[in-house]
Amino acid sequence: MSSNIIRPYGDTTGDGMVQMSFTLPLPHDKRAEGAALQLARKMGLDPALLVHAKAMGPDFTFFVVYGSSTHLVNLDEVHVVEREYPLLSAKDANLAIRKQLRRKLVVVGACIGTDAHTVGIDAILNIKGFAGEKGLEYYREIRVVNLGAQVLVPDLVARARAEKADAVLVSQVVTQKDAHIHNTTQMSAAFREAYPAGQVPILIAGGPRFEEGSEGALGVDRIFGRGTTPGEVASYLVHEMTQRRGR
Amino acid sequence: MSRTEPLLHLDPAVVRQARSLARRAAAPVVKIAQSHTTVSVERATLRLAGLSGADHERVPWVNHLVTAVRDEVGLEHGVTTPVYDALLRGEAPDLTTLAQKAASGNVSFRLPAGREAQAARRAATKGVGAGLRTIDRSRATRERLIRRHGDPTSRPWIYLIVATGDIYEDIPQAQAAAREGADVIAVIRSTGQSLLDYVPEGATREGFAGTYATQENFRLMRAALDDVSKELGRYVRLTNYASGLCMPEIAALAGMERLDMMLNDSMYGILFRDINPIRTFVDQRFSRQVHARAGIIINTGEDNYLTTADAVEAAHTVTVSQLLNECFAKEAGLEDWQLGLGHAFEINPEIPDSFRMELAHALLARQLFPDAPLKWMPPTKHMTGDVFRGYLLDGFFNLVGAMTGQGILLVGMMTEAVVTPFLSDRDLALQNVRYVMNAASGLTEDFHPPRDGFIQTRARQVLSEAVDLLDRIVNDSDAAGDPPLLAAIADGTFGLMKRPADRGKGLEGVVVRADDYDNPAITALDAGMPAKKGEKR
């Protein structure tokens, strides 16, 4: 068995079985069911098994389809970003900051644009934390300035300068019309404009819908996605700080 | 909900103590509300007098007029006296023209005295009275339509959200949701709106994660729901948000355009939006008086306490907030049937007995506020993206709703925190609700938690923690000598957020009333409802 080629697993190795559900804008009849099967086949399910179809109002039908996917996954062609820094405990993170900076690391955080969802930034910054980990406020050697929601980019830049921020965290939950991307690029551009080259604080964007590896396009140093814990952010900050001081 | 055997055996003395502490906390804050006004209260008053529309840059005329009056004579006397004095002096034939001239600096305002002041006040009372009559007519229309089409046949009312950002997309979605079984449609607002110090104008198609609350959007959606109510033979209610910096104005627009429910919380804006506490309490009192008059059911936002803190540790903060919301609401003239006090299913499902605790908390709210509809809100914090698990969690949420006789049930979506709900998500969610209600709503008859068992004990514990917290609030103090509730808000008693009374957004719009302050809307609202017949419950 070649270990680098895999298929989905239903109840037997190699059966390729997957399930999916979708809605078609058709009234529920034989034709709609045929259309659902055609879609499933075009998506690579063969054979496809239509296990459930239900009318949702006069104009839509909901389907559940099971089937064997004809596609193969080649693990040699899978490329992901692995975490390139070690996870530190709060104690070790504090120690590293004290040793290297001999002062507190200053983190300024905000939700920018019209985004009022502070749940992400609060989970990382507030002492309350997230997933059983205390937030950055809990770290003795980190000073947190949480500006809250709907902060304007110029205000964020001004505050970051006033606080001599080492790092700036922005959270973007709302993604309608790509607001998270516009806001983040606007933010990073504003920081590059306001600071001399090489002295821009560590810029971090967090949110559930950022694309992994899009740091370059957004002009930030790091993106954190869904499920990120405060410890991961603190560890990254220590790592990046070490890298920058070494330069 | 009247029962012979009490479900929780709460000590009536403790319940009385909780209410009396809440009253003590609220009373000094009500005094502050009665001795201040805000730009938004004054703008709302002008809206009641019929001033609407905006200039070519979409700045509303009410904003122009209030700013002009404030610059020339201040707002401490109320905006209407100088405004109607200017009309009586022939500065302009009507409010809109006056506002237009004021915007370009072509009117001079003054504070009339003696007979002229009386004449201006009389004219203002007449002008503002028109808006109050519109509100009364809207209420009568609602009552007539409910008689004609009927109320939902069973409780809880099914509450569904639409949020496309585009009113013309919202409308077909809302109608579809009603056809699928929704009794209440909530149109979520664009995320930025709570911090705008003006109400946008006209039909809007560009919102972020929601649609702007505007008078025209209100009108369009209510008309669309009237059509579908007729089609379904069931009056479908419409909900929006009277919160943020324009709470009073939005309440006035909602009253005139016959919205049926409004989200309106006494402290949400302060704690979660960093709006100035005084601004919030002044705006809130006015908006609640309008809601009382309009026959609107308010929905309070206690779910927010549970999403920002641990739902077990913070359970009593929900109770405290409900008691304060009740107290402020009653003072403003709202009746029990208008109090959609909020609570939510947000306990971490990984912890043991989470469902039993949810039941205990929901029953506690039900028992403390037996005549309020109560709004039961679904899990959001522990929806992980595993939609299958989420669907089960929503089923258990629905079961608590069924077993504890909730009045309004916000339907949980298994795609919460994943995507804006698909058409199929909404359909599946409603199937979930219908199955649970069909299968188990009769449990309200059978389900009596055993005396001094887990549920009764937990409920009493939460109540006693709530009393402790209320006690801490009424004994709080600060250097500025603020009322205890404001001191408590300032020092982070609620959810660790520190919100001092002299900070926060919208503070610059707060004005201390002068002795001769006059606001015909507040005078009429303080005097209570006009005689009415056929009170609808």
Side-chain angles (χ1 to χ4, degrees):
Chain A
M1 190 181 91
S2 161
S3 61
N4 281 344
I5 302 290
I6 59 160
R7 301 182 72 196
Y9 185 106
D11 70 346
T12 311
T13 299
D15 62 14
M17 289 300 285
V18 299
Q19 63 191 359
M20 65 174 177
S21 62
F22 55 88
T23 300
L24 292 179
L26 292 171
H28 181 205
D29 53 19
K30 291 295 265 186
R31 184 163 147 268
E33 295 191 0
L37 284 170
Q38 186 190 97
L39 176 67
R41 272 195 301 276
K42 285 184 173 168
M43 290 175 76
L45 299 194
D46 194 15
L49 195 62
L50 184 70
V51 299
H52 176 74
K54 177 181 175 289
M56 289 187 307
D59 305 320
F60 294 91
T61 311
F62 175 64
F63 301 95
V64 179
V65 176
Y66 279 69
S68 177
S69 171
T70 54
H71 301 298
L72 303 177
V73 177
N74 184 349
L75 292 179
D76 293 337
E77 292 167 9
V78 175
H79 303 289
V80 293
V81 182
E82 297 278 8
R83 194 179 58 237
E84 69 280 23
Y85 53 88
L87 263 188
L88 304 176
S89 68
K91 198 173 140 211
D92 290 342
N94 282 329
L95 205 67
I97 295 168
R98 196 157 62 228
K99 233 167 75 188
Q100 294 194 36
L101 285 185
R102 288 190 215 91
R103 61 170 172 81
K104 290 191 178 188
L105 182 91
V106 180
V107 174
V108 172
C111 289
I112 55 173
T114 58
D115 200 336
H117 295 77
T118 58
V119 43
I121 197 86
D122 288 343
I124 301 302
L125 296 183
N126 285 358
I127 193 156
K128 177 78 194 163
F130 173 65
E133 281 187 24
K134 295 267 196 284
L136 299 189
E137 283 183 343
Y138 172 77
Y139 288 67
R140 222 176 29 247
E141 299 298 328
I142 297 181
R143 188 163 70 83
V144 170
V145 183
N146 187 350
L147 300 181
Q150 301 181 337
V151 176
L152 299 175
V153 166
D155 295 344
L156 176 64
V157 174
R159 194 67 187 271
R161 291 176 65 109
E163 304 282 353
K164 297 197 169 54
D166 297 294
V168 174
L169 268 66
V170 301
S171 170
Q172 291 284 276
V173 173
V174 173
T175 57
Q176 215 168 28
K177 299 181 183 118
D178 281 337
H180 60 311
I181 294 176
H182 299 309
N183 287 339
T184 306
T185 46
Q186 189 203 356
M187 183 275 301
S188 62
F191 272 96
R192 278 196 303 278
E193 205 168 286
Y195 278 85
Q199 292 180 33
V200 179
I202 303 171
L203 299 181
I204 297 177
R209 293 288 169 271
F210 284 112
E211 207 177 311
E212 200 169 66
S214 64
E215 278 90 349
L218 295 173
V220 298
D221 296 296
R222 186 78 185 186
I223 286 166
F224 284 107
R226 165 173 296 280
T228 301
T229 61
E232 288 174 301
V233 177
S235 303
Y236 168 74
L237 286 174
V238 169
H239 167 80
E240 180 66 22
M241 179 189 76
T242 312
Q243 298 273 307
R244 288 191 175 194
R245 291 181 68 82
R247 258 179 237 148
Chain B
M1 288 254 311
S2 61
R3 287 169 196 281
T4 43
E5 175 74 356
L7 281 180
L8 291 177
H9 294 102
L10 300 172
D11 182 349
V14 179
V15 175
R16 270 199 305 278
Q17 188 192 3
R19 281 214 161 78
S20 120
L21 285 168
R23 271 195 302 276
R24 262 173 66 196
V29 172
V30 171
K31 279 222 165 58
I32 287 183
Q34 288 168 324
S35 58
H36 291 72
T37 185
T38 72
V39 286
S40 186
V41 165
E42 299 303 320
R43 295 194 301 248
T45 309
L46 292 177
R47 286 187 184 277
L48 288 172
L51 182 54
S52 63
D55 69 10
H56 62 283
E57 284 172 339
R58 309 186 78 174
V59 179
W61 294 123
V62 289
N63 287 57
H64 279 301
L65 195 47
V66 165
T67 303
V69 169
R70 186 175 193 180
D71 289 347
E72 289 199 37
V73 298
L75 282 184
E76 59 270 31
H77 319 282
V79 77
T80 49
T81 309
V83 160
Y84 278 86
D85 170 68
L87 287 180
L88 290 178
R89 284 188 283 120
E91 293 273 4
D94 55 59
L95 281 174
T96 309
T97 316
L98 186 71
Q100 286 165 350
K101 288 176 80 176
S104 52
N106 287 326
V107 189
S108 65
F109 293 100
R110 59 166 196 176
L111 199 64
R115 211 168 267 195
E116 285 175 319
Q118 279 173 18
R121 287 180 175 199
R122 260 200 312 278
T125 303
K126 191 157 168 259
V128 172
L132 293 174
R133 275 198 303 282
T134 305
I135 288 177
D136 295 341
R137 268 200 307 278
S138 292
R139 180 175 180 152
T141 304
R142 179 190 306 116
E143 286 163 8
R144 195 178 69 243
L145 289 176
I146 290 173
R147 276 197 301 277
R148 184 184 303 160
H149 301 315
D151 253 330
T153 47
S154 61
R155 287 272 181 149
W157 291 345
I158 308 300
Y159 179 115
L160 267 179
I161 286 169
V162 296
T164 68
D166 179 343
I167 188 66
Y168 294 107
E169 289 286 339
D170 286 344
I171 284 174
Q173 288 215 13
Q175 290 182 320
R179 288 187 189 108
E180 289 164 31
D183 301 312
V184 184
I185 300 293
V187 180
I188 297 278
R189 289 200 307 189
S190 179
T191 49
Q193 189 165 2
S194 57
L195 298 181
L196 295 180
D197 211 345
Y198 64 93
V199 181
E201 270 297 316
T204 67
R205 313 197 66 159
E206 305 243 320
F208 292 98
T211 306
Y212 286 103
T214 73
Q215 183 166 13
E216 180 64 6
N217 287 350
F218 285 0
R219 192 187 65 74
L220 288 168
M221 184 59 91
R222 188 56 264 175
L225 292 183
D226 282 346
D227 288 344
V228 85
S229 297
K230 193 168 158 192
E231 171 193 322
L232 297 171
R234 155 170 70 83
Y235 184 74
V236 180
R237 286 177 169 79
L238 175 59
T239 302
N240 210 290
Y241 292 65
S243 62
L245 289 172
C246 292
M247 196 189 297
E249 294 174 83
I250 291 182
L253 296 176
M256 293 191 282
E257 298 299 339
R258 190 168 34 91
L259 269 70
D260 306 282
M261 290 191 189
M262 295 299 277
L263 274 83
N264 183 265
D265 190 272
S266 63
M267 296 192 295
Y268 171 80
I270 303 170
L271 298 176
F272 301 99
R273 288 283 188 265
D274 196 14
I275 293 174
N276 174 260
I278 308 227
R279 170 81 179 249
T280 301
F281 284 118
V282 176
D283 284 353
Q284 180 220 187
R285 183 167 189 270
F286 185 92
S287 66
R288 287 188 172 188
Q289 288 192 306
V290 171
H291 291 146
R293 174 92 170 211
I296 285 174
I297 294 171
I298 63 163
N299 291 186
T300 58
E302 281 79 4
D303 50 318
N304 295 288
Y305 293 93
L306 301 183
T307 49
T308 50
D310 180 83
V312 176
E313 284 169 29
H316 65 289
T317 61
V318 167
T319 310
V320 167
S321 171
Q322 288 168 336
L323 287 161
L324 288 171
N325 263 313
E326 176 193 48
C327 195
F328 285 121
K330 291 277 181 74
E331 192 281 326
L334 288 157
E335 296 175 36
D336 280 316
W337 66 271
Q338 291 175 291
L339 305 186
L341 299 173
H343 55 153
F345 186 96
E346 291 284 14
I347 298 177
N348 182 353
E350 298 293 332
I351 68 170
D353 293 321
S354 65
F355 182 76
R356 296 167 88 192
M357 279 194 274
E358 295 285 10
L359 264 178
H361 299 173
L363 269 181
L364 174 63
R366 184 68 287 168
Q367 297 296 301
L368 280 178
F369 309 99
D371 299 315
L374 296 188
K375 183 181 183 196
W376 182 225
M377 287 177 268
T380 57
K381 196 174 160 187
H382 299 285
M383 297 298 270
T384 56
D386 178 350
V387 293
F388 304 103
R389 184 174 176 276
Y391 197 66
L392 178 65
L393 211 55
D394 279 334
F396 273 66
F397 157 77
N398 291 333
L399 184 57
V400 174
M403 290 173 77
T404 59
Q406 302 296 314
I408 304 160
L409 184 129
L410 201 166
V411 178
M413 295 291 148
M414 64 181 183
T415 43
E416 173 71 40
V418 182
V419 289
T420 46
F422 289 179
L423 187 71
S424 55
D425 297 331
R426 212 171 267 151
D427 189 79
L428 286 163
L430 284 166
Q431 285 185 54
N432 190 333
V433 173
R434 268 195 294 270
Y435 164 67
V436 174
M437 293 305 153
N438 263 333
S441 61
L443 275 176
T444 47
E445 190 184 314
D446 310 304
F447 175 60
H448 294 270
R451 181 127 206 186
D452 300 333
F454 181 91
I455 286 177
Q456 289 203 353
T457 309
R458 174 65 191 163
R460 278 182 229 137
Q461 181 196 348
V462 172
L463 179 60
S464 100
E465 285 172 14
V467 168
D468 290 346
L469 177 55
L470 280 165
D471 196 59
R472 238 174 53 227
I473 292 168
V474 298
N475 290 307
D476 208 322
S477 61
D478 63 8
D482 285 320
L485 179 58
L486 292 183
I489 290 170
D491 63 26
T493 305
F494 295 95
L496 300 176
M497 287 150 289
K498 297 188 170 79
R499 305 298 190 207
D502 59 353
R503 292 230 296 272
K505 303 182 176 90
L507 172 63
E508 68 288 344
V510 179
V511 177
V512 179
R513 291 187 197 175
D515 288 340
D516 65 346
Y517 177 79
D518 184 61
N519 183 319
I522 294 178
T523 306
L525 293 168
D526 278 339
M529 296 289 298
K532 57 185 188 291
K533 45 191 188 308
E535 176 62 23
K536 168 73 199 164
R537 241 220 76 165

